[in-house]
Amino acid sequence: MTGALAAFAAFGAAETATAWPVKTVAARAAEALPDNVWLAVLYMALALAGLGALVSGLGMGLIYLERKIAAHFQCRLGPMRVGPHGIFQTVADTFKLLFKEDIVPARADKALHVLAPFLAMTSTVLMLGVIPYSPVLQISDVNIGVLYITAVSGLGVMGILLGGWSSYNKWSLIGAMRGAAQIISYEVSATLALLVVVMFAGTLSLSGIVTSQAEGWWIWRAPVVGGIAFLIYLTASTAEINRTPFDIPEGESELTAGFHTEYSGLRFAFFFLAEFINMFVVAALTVTLFLGGWMPFHVGGANAFNAVMDLVPPGAWFLGKTALVVFVIMWFRWTFPRLRVDQLMRLEWKILLPIGFANLALGALAVLYSLYFFPGA
Amino acid sequence: MMHDAALTVLFYAFGAFAILCALAVVNARRLLRAALALMFVLLASAGLYLLLGAEFLAGIQVLVYVGGIVILIVFAVMLTSASDLLEDHPSLGRMLAGAVASIGFLAFTGVVFARLELGPPAPGAHPPDDASAIGRKLLDFGAEGYVLPFELVSLLLLAAVIGGIVVARKTPPRHQPFTSGGDAPGEADIAMPRSQRDEPEGPHA
């Protein structure tokens, strides 16, 4: 029995001792294209279907989690009626939402009103496409990965702005303006934090960044600057996804529901879903950049421990770490009170941004003099 | 073969989309829709850069133009009350100036295209990992490098940033020389136009 276990552990170690070969779905499709067009088409269809399933599954799961976590933080039970512990509550809610009447305000700019939720959703789905879930599970590894993510998230801002503008409602407009101002401000700090990791990893590709963390995750392998960048990124991206304590774009007590006040039915669902999946994207990126992505947790020298850690498949590592970050972001919501608009702007421009620049400069020095922890361990 | 066919189809699709959206930019009656169409033009041209293999340039195009410039334009449209300004009957002088400008530009582009020989890019014209190659070019101070233009542009941007701060900065009222001068809650102006704030005007004590 123990012999079999040891053999299994050794097998796991041997499996993972080699460098992690990354193969994306897009690469497989490109490989199949010259021989068999339909195989390539099948890969693409598979990727699209997977994205669709991911979006709906994540949406429902995260909304259920949010409600349950909120409830338990407040000593409530949360949804309990539909299914055991209410796990089918979001499914029921989704069906209800889909069958609701879709209302467009009479004086709204109809075309833009219809387009806005799609823009928000498109940006979210485009980001899901490049996240490395596991060495074999990534739709496309664009070699400008980090740049692509920051660029595409700009489309989401347009969705929010246009949604608020086209609704012909002052709450919507104020919410949209606040949202856009907040997102484009905090984008600066988030990007500065990303750049630290890009410098250390020496690549913009997300898979490349994950594989660069084989010796240690950047949060501690980049001396101190990695930890600071992690904190800045987590704060700034919590603001970018409009979550408490930075949820003034839809502060219920002031703005009804902010930019999506006038939305109902499917289009409201799109905004709502985009918001929740953006939370997943942020958590996934935090994991990819700072917490080693799908890399297992290793302790230098503790070979037996490392072998056991290697038994857990990379996809499970990724999912577990992401779930942890998602939980922390939800935790924020029940811990910090909402900021005022001016406090929000001051936090970004007078606190986060200077720290971010100083951190970037220190990081550049560290890279220049190769001051890594665990160099080539 | 399939690969080239797919690229050709994509090229014409992006091109047609860009032209249609560019027509929408100049023909839209609402300023905000024109801004939105402009965003799609810029996205389509980013797609064309991608087809040329210039991924980094495409990313920067989307990041700077879509995520920055277009959003600034939309902000400007929303903050000024000119958003529902419908130019149904422009004045004669305006029509004349517009006609001169557009015909002049058409002639200019016509001349340029007539004298230009456009062909497919030579194989290997762009380095495979173009982000690092661009970085090296920008900081190279040899004959092939671009360090001087790079520094000049950063100086220009610095001047623009300082100018922006000077224009946006509130001067403190003369009888209160030691106030924070726009530091305190008034910064809400960044997010909200003056007309939509419900607090009264005046210095914040």
Side-chain angles (χ1 to χ4, degrees):
Chain A
M1 182 65 207
T2 46
L5 240 174
F8 192 43
F11 169 73
E15 267 284 291
T16 48
T18 54
W20 299 88
V22 176
K23 193 155 193 192
T24 64
V25 178
R28 285 170 205 273
E31 213 169 78
L33 190 62
D35 306 328
N36 189 346
V37 180
W38 295 112
L39 192 60
V41 171
L42 182 71
Y43 273 124
M44 281 191 247
L46 210 62
L48 285 180
L51 268 187
L54 188 67
V55 166
S56 48
L58 269 181
M60 288 191 207
L62 286 175
I63 291 169
Y64 174 74
L65 273 181
E66 170 97 303
R67 294 181 64 178
K68 272 297 192 193
I69 289 174
H72 288 305
F73 267 106
Q74 299 171 335
C75 298
R76 292 185 286 117
L77 288 174
M80 285 296 279
R81 301 291 170 129
V82 193
H85 281 266
I87 51 168
F88 297 122
Q89 182 67 52
T90 15
V91 182
D93 285 348
T94 309
F95 278 109
K96 187 191 78 176
L97 210 52
L98 292 185
F99 289 122
K100 284 221 170 182
E101 186 188 355
D102 181 40
I103 298 167
V104 180
R107 297 190 61 185
D109 188 331
K110 287 214 176 52
L112 295 188
H113 194 79
V114 171
L115 181 72
F118 286 97
L119 272 182
M121 198 67 201
T122 310
S123 106
T124 307
V125 173
L126 284 177
M127 284 196 274
L128 281 178
V130 296
I131 293 174
Y133 303 97
S134 121
V136 289
L137 199 62
Q138 182 185 13
I139 291 179
S140 174
D141 184 35
V142 286
N143 70 37
I144 50 159
V146 174
L147 183 66
Y148 171 90
I149 291 277
T150 40
V152 162
S153 64
L155 283 180
V157 187
M158 276 308 274
I160 289 179
L161 262 179
L162 292 179
W165 167 264
S166 62
S167 295
Y168 207 80
N169 174 326
K170 61 179 168 182
W171 308 129
S172 301
L173 181 60
I174 295 175
M177 301 287 278
R178 282 186 182 184
Q182 175 176 329
I183 295 172
I184 54 180
S185 307
Y186 277 86
E187 213 169 49
V188 182
S189 282
T191 312
L192 286 180
L194 292 182
L195 282 181
V196 173
V197 175
V198 170
M199 277 192 318
F200 274 97
T203 173
L204 283 166
S205 130
L206 290 173
S207 271
I209 288 175
V210 174
T211 41
S212 75
Q213 300 179 72
E215 275 93 47
W217 305 347
W218 288 123
I219 183 173
W220 46 68
R221 193 169 170 225
V224 188
V225 286
I228 296 174
F230 170 75
L231 290 179
I232 292 177
Y233 183 72
L234 199 60
T235 316
S237 45
T238 308
E240 269 193 78
I241 53 177
N242 297 335
R243 280 188 65 89
T244 331
F246 307 103
D247 64 340
I248 52 161
E250 42 188 292
E252 295 90 343
S253 49
E254 308 157 23
L255 295 178
T256 323
F259 61 88
H260 54 62
T261 304
E262 295 291 353
Y263 279 89
S264 59
L266 190 61
R267 290 190 228 297
F268 168 73
F270 265 44
F271 270 130
F272 199 54
L273 208 59
E275 209 155 282
F276 272 91
I277 293 170
N278 278 339
M279 177 165 66
F280 171 81
V281 170
V282 161
L285 284 177
T286 312
V287 166
T288 304
L289 293 158
F290 296 100
L291 302 177
W294 36 255
M295 285 282 170
F297 179 74
H298 279 179
V299 177
N303 288 334
F305 175 78
N306 292 350
V308 173
M309 289 289 128
D310 283 339
L311 291 182
V312 181
W317 275 109
F318 175 82
L319 205 64
K321 291 175 193 173
T322 309
L324 183 72
V325 178
V326 165
F327 176 73
V328 169
I329 293 176
M330 286 182 176
W331 191 355
F332 284 168
R333 180 163 177 179
W334 306 105
T335 308
F336 300 119
R338 181 183 299 150
L339 270 70
R340 262 191 347 247
V341 180
D342 59 305
Q343 291 171 332
L344 184 93
M345 287 300 163
R346 186 180 307 186
L347 174 68
E348 159 64 15
W349 295 106
K350 297 198 170 166
I351 301 175
L352 285 186
L353 196 64
I355 297 178
F357 272 121
N359 197 39
L360 187 65
L362 287 178
L365 282 180
V367 172
L368 207 57
Y369 292 102
S370 306
L371 290 173
Y372 297 170
F373 286 158
F374 330 114
Chain B
M1 204 278 288
M2 281 303 294
H3 193 243
D4 286 344
L7 284 188
T8 312
V9 168
L10 276 176
F11 171 78
Y12 282 107
F14 279 130
F17 186 65
I19 291 172
L20 281 180
C21 289
L23 283 176
V25 173
V26 287
N27 286 317
R29 279 155 49 91
R30 296 185 202 190
L31 226 43
L32 201 76
R33 288 196 180 182
L36 185 71
L38 180 65
M39 181 186 91
F40 284 117
V41 175
L42 295 168
L43 282 178
S45 44
L48 290 176
Y49 291 153
L50 268 187
L51 289 185
L52 286 173
E55 290 169 349
F56 185 73
L57 193 60
I60 290 290
Q61 162 98 351
V62 175
L63 182 68
V64 172
Y65 284 93
V66 177
I69 309 270
V70 172
I71 286 183
L72 267 186
I73 291 177
V74 170
F75 255 83
V77 170
M78 285 182 178
L79 288 180
T80 53
S81 54
S83 55
D84 40 12
L85 186 88
L86 299 177
E87 282 268 331
D88 275 340
H89 303 287
S91 62
L92 189 69
R94 234 181 216 209
M95 284 167 75
L96 211 64
V100 169
S102 51
I103 290 172
F105 189 68
L106 184 70
F108 174 73
T109 25
V111 170
V112 167
F113 273 102
R115 298 178 64 88
L116 209 63
E117 207 161 304
L118 291 174
H126 52 83
D129 195 0
D130 62 346
S132 57
I134 289 177
R136 275 174 217 290
K137 276 274 182 208
L138 279 182
L139 292 181
D140 178 11
F141 41 79
E144 299 273 289
Y146 291 88
V147 74
L148 185 66
F150 178 73
E151 290 300 331
L152 282 180
V153 166
S154 50
L155 211 62
L156 185 70
L157 286 177
L158 182 68
V161 167
I162 293 174
I165 292 172
V166 168
V167 170
R169 191 176 176 80
K170 276 194 217 159
T171 45
R174 201 166 296 157
H175 56 278
Q176 284 176 317
F178 297 113
T179 49
S180 57
D183 242 17
E187 285 185 18
D189 290 357
I190 298 168
M192 259 188 289
R194 186 158 300 215
S195 56
Q196 282 176 353
R197 272 191 302 157
D198 36 28
E199 58 197 47
E201 285 300 307
H204 302 280

Short mmCIF file of all heavy atoms in Angstrom, two decimals, chain A residues 131-159:
data_model
loop_
_atom_site.label_atom_id
_atom_site.label_comp_id
_atom_site.label_asym_id
_atom_site.label_seq_id
_atom_site.Cartn_x
_atom_site.Cartn_y
_atom_site.Cartn_z
N ILE A 131 -7.40 33.97 -20.11
CA ILE A 131 -6.93 33.56 -18.77
C ILE A 131 -6.43 32.12 -18.81
O ILE A 131 -7.11 31.25 -19.34
CB ILE A 131 -8.08 33.70 -17.76
CG1 ILE A 131 -8.41 35.17 -17.58
CG2 ILE A 131 -7.72 33.08 -16.43
CD1 ILE A 131 -9.59 35.42 -16.72
N PRO A 132 -5.22 31.87 -18.31
CA PRO A 132 -4.72 30.49 -18.28
C PRO A 132 -5.31 29.72 -17.10
O PRO A 132 -4.91 29.91 -15.96
CB PRO A 132 -3.21 30.66 -18.12
CG PRO A 132 -3.01 32.02 -17.59
CD PRO A 132 -4.24 32.83 -17.81
N TYR A 133 -6.29 28.85 -17.39
CA TYR A 133 -6.94 28.10 -16.31
C TYR A 133 -6.08 26.92 -15.88
O TYR A 133 -6.12 26.48 -14.75
CB TYR A 133 -8.31 27.61 -16.76
CG TYR A 133 -9.22 28.72 -17.21
CD1 TYR A 133 -9.35 29.04 -18.55
CD2 TYR A 133 -9.92 29.47 -16.28
CE1 TYR A 133 -10.16 30.08 -18.96
CE2 TYR A 133 -10.73 30.51 -16.68
CZ TYR A 133 -10.84 30.81 -18.02
OH TYR A 133 -11.62 31.85 -18.41
N SER A 134 -5.34 26.39 -16.83
CA SER A 134 -4.45 25.25 -16.57
C SER A 134 -3.57 25.13 -17.81
O SER A 134 -3.84 25.78 -18.82
CB SER A 134 -5.30 24.01 -16.31
OG SER A 134 -5.01 23.00 -17.22
N PRO A 135 -2.47 24.37 -17.73
CA PRO A 135 -1.57 24.34 -18.90
C PRO A 135 -2.28 23.94 -20.19
O PRO A 135 -1.89 24.36 -21.27
CB PRO A 135 -0.51 23.30 -18.51
CG PRO A 135 -0.57 23.20 -17.06
CD PRO A 135 -1.93 23.59 -16.61
N VAL A 136 -3.31 23.10 -20.08
CA VAL A 136 -3.98 22.66 -21.30
C VAL A 136 -5.29 23.39 -21.52
O VAL A 136 -5.99 23.13 -22.48
CB VAL A 136 -4.25 21.14 -21.26
CG1 VAL A 136 -2.96 20.38 -21.41
CG2 VAL A 136 -4.96 20.76 -19.99
N LEU A 137 -5.64 24.25 -20.59
CA LEU A 137 -6.95 24.89 -20.67
C LEU A 137 -6.80 26.40 -20.70
O LEU A 137 -6.77 27.06 -19.68
CB LEU A 137 -7.81 24.47 -19.47
CG LEU A 137 -9.30 24.67 -19.63
CD1 LEU A 137 -9.80 23.82 -20.78
CD2 LEU A 137 -10.02 24.31 -18.37
N GLN A 138 -6.61 26.91 -21.91
CA GLN A 138 -6.57 28.35 -22.11
C GLN A 138 -6.98 28.53 -23.54
O GLN A 138 -6.51 27.80 -24.41
CB GLN A 138 -5.15 28.87 -21.87
CG GLN A 138 -5.04 30.37 -22.01
CD GLN A 138 -3.62 30.86 -21.91
OE1 GLN A 138 -2.68 30.08 -21.96
NE2 GLN A 138 -3.45 32.14 -21.76
N ILE A 139 -7.88 29.46 -23.80
CA ILE A 139 -8.40 29.52 -25.17
C ILE A 139 -7.35 30.09 -26.09
O ILE A 139 -7.06 29.53 -27.14
CB ILE A 139 -9.71 30.32 -25.19
CG1 ILE A 139 -10.76 29.48 -24.46
CG2 ILE A 139 -10.14 30.59 -26.61
CD1 ILE A 139 -12.08 30.10 -24.37
N SER A 140 -6.75 31.21 -25.70
CA SER A 140 -5.72 31.78 -26.56
C SER A 140 -4.70 32.49 -25.68
O SER A 140 -5.07 33.23 -24.78
CB SER A 140 -6.34 32.75 -27.55
OG SER A 140 -5.31 33.38 -28.27
N ASP A 141 -3.43 32.24 -25.96
CA ASP A 141 -2.40 32.93 -25.20
C ASP A 141 -1.82 34.01 -26.08
O ASP A 141 -0.82 33.80 -26.75
CB ASP A 141 -1.32 31.93 -24.76
CG ASP A 141 -0.29 32.61 -23.89
OD1 ASP A 141 -0.68 33.49 -23.12
OD2 ASP A 141 0.88 32.25 -23.99
N VAL A 142 -2.48 35.18 -26.11
CA VAL A 142 -1.97 36.26 -26.95
C VAL A 142 -0.67 36.73 -26.34
O VAL A 142 -0.53 36.75 -25.13
CB VAL A 142 -2.96 37.43 -27.02
CG1 VAL A 142 -4.13 37.06 -27.88
CG2 VAL A 142 -3.45 37.83 -25.65
N ASN A 143 0.32 37.08 -27.20
CA ASN A 143 1.59 37.36 -26.56
C ASN A 143 1.69 38.78 -26.02
O ASN A 143 2.72 39.19 -25.50
CB ASN A 143 2.78 36.91 -27.43
CG ASN A 143 2.97 37.71 -28.63
OD1 ASN A 143 2.75 38.84 -28.52
ND2 ASN A 143 3.36 37.14 -29.74
N ILE A 144 0.55 39.54 -26.08
CA ILE A 144 0.52 40.83 -25.39
C ILE A 144 -0.48 40.75 -24.24
O ILE A 144 -1.13 41.73 -23.90
CB ILE A 144 0.11 41.97 -26.33
CG1 ILE A 144 -1.16 41.58 -27.09
CG2 ILE A 144 1.21 42.30 -27.29
CD1 ILE A 144 -1.90 42.75 -27.64
N GLY A 145 -0.63 39.55 -23.65
CA GLY A 145 -1.68 39.26 -22.67
C GLY A 145 -2.07 40.37 -21.72
O GLY A 145 -3.24 40.77 -21.66
N VAL A 146 -1.08 40.90 -20.97
CA VAL A 146 -1.40 41.89 -19.94
C VAL A 146 -1.95 43.17 -20.58
O VAL A 146 -2.94 43.75 -20.13
CB VAL A 146 -0.15 42.18 -19.11
CG1 VAL A 146 -0.42 43.29 -18.14
CG2 VAL A 146 0.28 40.94 -18.37
N LEU A 147 -1.31 43.56 -21.69
CA LEU A 147 -1.76 44.76 -22.42
C LEU A 147 -3.18 44.55 -22.94
O LEU A 147 -4.04 45.43 -22.85
CB LEU A 147 -0.80 45.01 -23.57
CG LEU A 147 -1.06 46.25 -24.40
CD1 LEU A 147 -0.84 47.47 -23.56
CD2 LEU A 147 -0.15 46.26 -25.59
N TYR A 148 -3.44 43.35 -23.46
CA TYR A 148 -4.76 42.99 -23.99
C TYR A 148 -5.83 43.14 -22.93
O TYR A 148 -6.88 43.72 -23.16
CB TYR A 148 -4.68 41.55 -24.51
CG TYR A 148 -6.00 40.93 -24.91
CD1 TYR A 148 -6.46 41.03 -26.21
CD2 TYR A 148 -6.75 40.22 -23.99
CE1 TYR A 148 -7.66 40.45 -26.58
CE2 TYR A 148 -7.94 39.63 -24.35
CZ TYR A 148 -8.39 39.75 -25.64
OH TYR A 148 -9.58 39.17 -25.99
N ILE A 149 -5.52 42.64 -21.72
CA ILE A 149 -6.50 42.72 -20.63
C ILE A 149 -6.82 44.17 -20.30
O ILE A 149 -7.99 44.57 -20.22
CB ILE A 149 -5.94 42.01 -19.38
CG1 ILE A 149 -5.87 40.50 -19.61
CG2 ILE A 149 -6.77 42.34 -18.16
CD1 ILE A 149 -7.14 39.78 -19.37
N THR A 150 -5.78 45.00 -20.15
CA THR A 150 -6.05 46.40 -19.79
C THR A 150 -6.77 47.10 -20.93
O THR A 150 -7.63 47.95 -20.69
CB THR A 150 -4.75 47.16 -19.47
OG1 THR A 150 -3.76 46.76 -20.40
CG2 THR A 150 -4.27 46.90 -18.09
N ALA A 151 -6.45 46.74 -22.19
CA ALA A 151 -7.09 47.40 -23.31
C ALA A 151 -8.56 47.03 -23.38
O ALA A 151 -9.43 47.88 -23.52
CB ALA A 151 -6.38 47.03 -24.61
N VAL A 152 -8.85 45.73 -23.27
CA VAL A 152 -10.22 45.27 -23.45
C VAL A 152 -11.14 45.75 -22.33
O VAL A 152 -12.31 46.02 -22.55
CB VAL A 152 -10.21 43.73 -23.57
CG1 VAL A 152 -11.58 43.17 -23.33
CG2 VAL A 152 -9.72 43.31 -24.93
N SER A 153 -10.57 45.92 -21.14
CA SER A 153 -11.44 46.36 -20.05
C SER A 153 -11.97 47.77 -20.31
O SER A 153 -12.98 48.16 -19.74
CB SER A 153 -10.72 46.28 -18.72
OG SER A 153 -9.65 47.17 -18.70
N GLY A 154 -11.30 48.52 -21.22
CA GLY A 154 -11.79 49.84 -21.58
C GLY A 154 -13.16 49.79 -22.24
O GLY A 154 -13.96 50.70 -22.10
N LEU A 155 -13.44 48.69 -22.97
CA LEU A 155 -14.74 48.55 -23.61
C LEU A 155 -15.86 48.49 -22.58
O LEU A 155 -16.97 48.98 -22.82
CB LEU A 155 -14.77 47.25 -24.43
CG LEU A 155 -14.06 47.26 -25.76
CD1 LEU A 155 -14.21 45.90 -26.40
CD2 LEU A 155 -14.69 48.30 -26.65
N GLY A 156 -15.58 47.88 -21.44
CA GLY A 156 -16.58 47.79 -20.39
C GLY A 156 -16.98 49.17 -19.89
O GLY A 156 -18.15 49.42 -19.62
N VAL A 157 -15.98 50.08 -19.82
CA VAL A 157 -16.28 51.45 -19.40
C VAL A 157 -17.26 52.08 -20.36
O VAL A 157 -18.20 52.77 -19.96
CB VAL A 157 -15.00 52.29 -19.34
CG1 VAL A 157 -15.29 53.64 -18.76
CG2 VAL A 157 -13.94 51.60 -18.55
N MET A 158 -17.03 51.84 -21.68
CA MET A 158 -17.95 52.40 -22.67
C MET A 158 -19.36 51.87 -22.43
O MET A 158 -20.34 52.61 -22.55
CB MET A 158 -17.50 52.02 -24.09
CG MET A 158 -16.46 52.91 -24.68
SD MET A 158 -16.89 54.64 -24.62
CE MET A 158 -17.84 54.81 -26.12
N GLY A 159 -19.48 50.59 -22.10
CA GLY A 159 -20.80 50.00 -21.84
C GLY A 159 -21.50 50.73 -20.70
O GLY A 159 -22.66 51.11 -20.81
#
